[in-house]
Amino acid sequence: QVHMVESGGGLVQSGNSLRLSCAASGRTCSSCGMGWFRQAPGKEREFVASISWDGSLSQYADSVKGRFAISRDNVKNTVYLQMNSLKPEDTAVYYCAADVAGWNTNRQSAYEYWGQGTQVTVSS
C-alpha cells in the first residue's frame, strides 16, 4: 500500500506561481511512475503531467505545457509540480497518483494509488 499526501495548494493571483508536493509513504515507490491530475468544479478529472520512475521521461497536458514542470526526488519519495504563470482556469483540486508499473502515462486507469488532493485557486 502506498499513502500519498499532497501539499502546497492555496490561493494565488493570476500570473503567480505555486509548487505542489506529493509525499509517498508506506510501500517504497521509487520505481513508480507518478502523475498529477486535476478536477475543476463541475468537470471531470483530467491529466496534468506525468513522470517515469527514473525521471527520464515526462509529458504534459497541452493546457499546461510550458508553464508547469514535474520533477521527483526518489530519495525523499516526493514528486513536485511547479506551476508558473497561473491562470484562473487552473483552479482545481490537484491530485497526485502512483503507477507501480513505473511508466510515464496520462491514463488515469493506470494509477493504483491516489492522494486526497490539494485545492489550488487562482484569482483574476
Side-chain angles (χ1 to χ4, degrees), residues 40-106:
K43 296 187 177 181
E44 294 188 352
R45 189 164 59 187
E46 64 177 4
F47 170 76
V48 175
S50 62
I51 190 167
S52 59
W53 71 273
D54 61 352
S56 64
L57 298 172
S58 61
Q59 60 176 308
Y60 299 89
D62 288 343
S63 58
V64 306
K65 207 170 287 184
R67 300 188 297 123
F68 290 13
I70 189 171
S71 61
R72 66 188 298 161
D73 183 334
N74 284 347
V75 174
K76 296 181 179 179
N77 287 325
T78 300
V79 63
Y80 304 97
L81 185 68
Q82 178 66 44
M83 305 186 295
N84 299 326
S85 303
L86 282 162
K87 305 175 181 180
E89 51 263 45
D90 294 318
T91 295
V93 177
Y94 283 71
Y95 300 90
C96 67
D99 165 25
V100 297
W103 302 116
N104 168 37
T105 177
N106 60 8

Side-chain angles (χ1 to χ4, degrees), residues 2-28:
V2 179
H3 184 55
M4 321 280 290
V5 179
E6 302 96 337
S7 61
L11 171 64
V12 296
Q13 289 189 327
S14 181
N16 285 357
S17 300
L18 276 177
R19 188 176 83 153
L20 305 183
S21 300
C22 175
S25 61
R27 169 183 172 175
T28 299

